[in-house]
Amino acid sequence: MPFSFSSQLFSVVNVWDVFLITDRVGQAVIVLLAIFSIFAWAVMLGKHSELKKLRELNFAFERKIGQERHILELPENLKSRRDIPYADLLADALEAYWRAAAIGKEKGDDNVRSRLEHAENAIQRALARQTLRYEASMIFLASVVSGAPFMGLFGTVWGVMEAFTAAAEQGSATIVTLAPGVAAALLTTIAGLVVAIPSVFGYNFLLGNAKTMITELENYASTLADRIELEAK
């Protein structure tokens, strides 16, 4: 008898059998959550790889620029790396600086202050653009984190309602008649949590990395503006 009780207590629920007895609405919810889970994992893994690569490229570019004595006269190969966030800021700043210088000479009103203002404005625009790049796809993960549990709850409420409706039609509300329907209904809640829990950890991890990189980008932008100003004087 003890062995029989233990076997029943630790028996594994056959999720596939429960899924098969779930009504079509519940199955649709579970399938949709499975699709969201696949996309969420793809976004998390892809975003982690992207941020890691961008950070390595940023640091390598910063080291290379640090070895240059004159930032305003950099070779073209260092100014055309738009795929690197730090290089994108530098390219925009230098383009704006020399464009302001050319226009100022044409009008006979060329001055260092005007050049620096245009360069700083270009840096701010590039900074905002790269910030959006860091945060891209994060809204999808946030939506999955907040929406998946509610989708699972919807499937559960719908399944419980269907189970009680079927029991009422049969004229019997015993545990035997209700248990399969309620178990099937609860499967959608489990599916919602299975999708949401990894997503919330992944979202917080990636958001923390993105914020750190944005702070590093802002520090680099400030350093870049200071260096241009020192060389322009």
Side-chain angles (χ1 to χ4, degrees):
M1 180 64 68
F3 177 78
S4 176
F5 175 77
S6 177
S7 299
Q8 293 178 6
L9 182 63
F10 293 102
S11 61
V12 178
V13 177
N14 192 323
V15 177
W16 179 249
D17 288 343
V18 177
F19 175 78
L20 292 178
I21 64 174
T22 306
D23 67 333
R24 292 186 177 181
V25 174
Q27 289 181 349
V29 170
I30 293 173
V31 170
L32 191 59
L33 286 170
I35 295 173
F36 283 162
S37 179
I38 293 172
F39 277 105
W41 276 102
V43 169
M44 287 188 291
L45 294 176
K47 195 65 181 178
H48 174 66
S49 177
E50 178 191 7
L51 292 178
K52 182 179 179 181
K53 181 180 179 181
L54 288 178
R55 197 175 194 189
E56 291 174 352
L57 290 173
N58 282 339
F59 289 163
F61 183 80
E62 187 175 23
R63 288 193 298 268
K64 187 176 295 185
I65 292 299
Q67 298 172 358
E68 299 290 332
R69 297 187 60 182
H70 301 290
I71 199 171
L72 293 177
E73 301 292 344
L74 288 176
E76 191 62 31
N77 65 315
L78 292 179
K79 295 189 296 183
S80 59
R81 295 297 305 275
R82 291 288 186 173
D83 56 318
I84 304 175
Y86 283 12
D88 189 46
L89 265 66
L90 176 61
D92 274 15
L94 295 182
E95 286 181 6
Y97 180 89
W98 291 117
R99 183 169 59 250
I103 294 175
K105 289 179 180 179
E106 290 179 0
K107 296 182 178 180
D109 187 28
D110 182 28
N111 60 83
V112 174
R113 176 49 52 190
S114 176
R115 297 183 185 185
L116 293 177
E117 288 178 355
H118 281 79
E120 290 173 359
N121 291 336
I123 290 175
Q124 292 303 315
R125 289 192 296 270
L127 179 62
R129 183 171 63 249
Q130 293 300 326
T131 298
L132 292 176
R133 181 182 180 184
Y134 287 162
E135 296 177 345
S137 304
M138 298 297 288
I139 187 64
F140 173 78
L141 285 180
S143 300
V144 171
V145 168
S146 59
F150 286 104
M151 290 182 63
L153 181 61
F154 166 76
T156 297
V157 173
W158 181 275
V160 171
M161 182 180 66
E162 287 291 315
F164 278 103
T165 301
E169 291 177 353
Q170 296 174 7
S172 174
T174 64
I175 189 65
V176 176
T177 57
L178 289 176
V182 173
L186 292 175
L187 183 61
T188 59
T189 296
I190 295 174
L193 294 176
V194 167
V195 175
I197 291 174
S199 298
V200 70
F201 284 108
Y203 173 78
N204 289 332
F205 175 76
L206 293 173
L207 185 62
N209 285 351
K211 287 184 176 181
T212 299
M213 291 180 63
I214 290 172
T215 300
E216 293 171 350
L217 188 66
E218 291 173 346
N219 292 337
Y220 171 79
S222 177
T223 301
L224 177 63
D226 289 344
R227 189 169 176 182
I228 292 176
E229 183 175 0
L230 290 173
E231 291 188 17
K233 293 181 178 180

